[in-house]
Amino acid sequence: MSVLSVRSLCKSFGGVRAVDHVSFDVDPGEFLALIGPNGAGKSTCFNMINGQLAPDDGEIRLMGRDIARLPPRSIWRLGVGRTFQIAATFGSFTVLENVQMALISHKREVFRFWKPAAAHHEQRALDLLDQVGMKDSADRACRELAYGDVKRVELAIALANEPRLLLMDEPTAGMAPRERNELIALVKRLVVDRGISVLFTEHSMDVVFAFADRIIVLARGRLIADGDANSIRENAQVREVYLGTGKTFGRKRETTP
Ligand code: ADP
Ligand code: MG
């Protein structure tokens, strides 16, 4: 069964058909990229899936269950995590406390500030920080961290909630190319280990082609292509919509027979 199944999803803003009868599936453990030029409808799709926007029409199913129009909190509880476009961390708390709070929230416990921190999943939080390479910064306040490090902590927080599906709308916005690659490589490594599916958008085509298992392409609200990196690179309609946007698609990698 698909983890996520989207059918004929529609959303208009005034006269603009932001998302126009879009259908796709996300399979278990799949790392799926949603691409398209600015204004194609990517964020609108994400926001309908995570419950921030109500669809005008269409179906959104998570593990077969209809989640369209549920409030964001309920969708999160059912296993749809999201990062990084929201400020997930509390600046005055330490890195460790932020991950501990996420674990507490996931277990539906109540955070008691007067209890020693050790009582709150400390070891599990440290393990998660270790996995994102932030264990050495556990006792620093989040507000002191560099931008790329905040993203790593946000990833640990997202994983603390043990999602089935992780939604990432432009996770690497504002990052340098090398940092982008590192962050996506890290996300991929950690989600593959856990069997978590990912739906993400990303401006760098190099990153998309290097990491996505499959790519779906939106243009003016419509899904125009669905396939692996090579088929998307060679797709004439996809090239057409990207013409003039300054994006390059590179050459198909030659394989020696
Ligand atoms: P993308 O994320 O692919 O850049 P969006 O989903 O943000 O695209 O936007 C798709 C279209 O919907 C654009 O034409 C955008 O201007 C419009 N749009 C998005 N959100 C709103 C909104 N809240 N109100 C009005 N128009 C919107
Ligand atoms: Mg967007």
Side-chain angles (χ1 to χ4, degrees):
M1 186 199 278
S2 300
V3 170
L4 185 77
S5 173
V6 170
R7 288 292 171 274
S8 215
L9 198 60
C10 297
K11 182 75 186 178
S12 294
F13 297 106
V16 178
R17 288 189 177 190
V19 173
D20 191 2
H21 294 91
V22 166
S23 302
F24 63 90
D25 287 281
V26 186
D27 288 334
E30 193 172 34
F31 209 70
L32 178 63
L34 172 60
I35 68 168
N38 278 336
K42 304 180 295 295
S43 293
T44 304
C45 270
F46 273 87
N47 291 336
M48 287 191 277
I49 297 167
N50 71 36
Q52 288 196 303
L53 273 178
D56 294 340
D57 204 359
E59 274 185 12
I60 307 170
R61 290 185 179 275
L62 181 74
M63 312 296 295
R65 178 181 173 161
D66 183 9
I67 60 163
R69 297 178 189 79
L70 288 182
R73 185 93 187 149
S74 307
I75 293 174
W76 175 77
R77 286 276 185 223
L78 290 169
V80 179
R82 87 187 133 112
T83 191
F84 293 91
Q85 276 197 326
I86 40 167
T89 57
F90 297 97
S92 62
F93 288 91
T94 67
V95 167
L96 179 65
E97 285 166 342
N98 267 284
V99 180
Q100 284 173 297
M101 283 190 281
L103 288 165
I104 287 160
S105 165
H106 177 58
K107 305 274 186 227
R108 304 186 189 208
E109 297 163 357
V110 177
F111 191 87
R112 290 196 174 81
F113 290 91
W114 60 86
K115 263 195 171 185
H120 294 299
H121 313 286
E122 183 172 299
Q123 193 50 52
R124 173 118 176 74
L126 285 169
D127 287 347
L128 280 166
L129 286 172
D130 196 22
Q131 288 168 41
V132 300
M134 288 298 292
K135 196 175 174 184
D136 291 346
S137 301
D139 296 326
R140 294 176 63 193
C142 272
R143 72 155 80 86
E144 294 170 8
L145 299 180
Y147 188 64
D149 288 344
V150 172
K151 300 229 163 188
R152 286 169 186 269
V153 177
E154 289 186 4
L155 178 58
I157 287 170
L159 295 175
N161 293 312
E162 296 175 15
R164 284 174 194 282
L165 171 68
L166 193 55
L167 302 176
M168 305 194 303
D169 192 0
E170 297 188 29
T172 67
M175 299 178 95
R178 200 170 128 226
E179 273 189 314
R180 287 174 179 240
N181 262 288
E182 284 173 4
L183 184 72
I184 299 297
L186 175 67
V187 173
K188 186 153 185 187
R189 187 158 15 98
L190 294 177
V191 300
V192 165
D193 285 350
R194 291 167 166 78
I196 299 170
S197 306
V198 172
L199 177 65
F200 75 109
T201 64
E202 166 60 49
H203 275 299
S204 161
M205 289 303 142
D206 289 342
V207 171
V208 167
F209 289 138
F211 294 102
D213 296 324
R214 185 161 62 94
I215 301 163
I216 55 181
V217 188
L218 276 184
R220 296 186 184 188
R222 288 179 172 259
L223 199 88
I224 60 164
D226 180 340
D228 64 12
N230 280 338
S231 77
I232 296 301
R233 235 189 234 116
E234 302 298 305
N235 186 300
Q237 209 183 343
V238 175
R239 287 175 167 271
E240 176 82 31
V241 302
Y242 273 101
L243 266 184
T245 65
K247 296 258 186 258
T248 51
F249 271 66
R251 291 238 174 81
K252 185 175 168 181
R253 247 170 239 145
E254 300 297 335
T255 45
T256 28

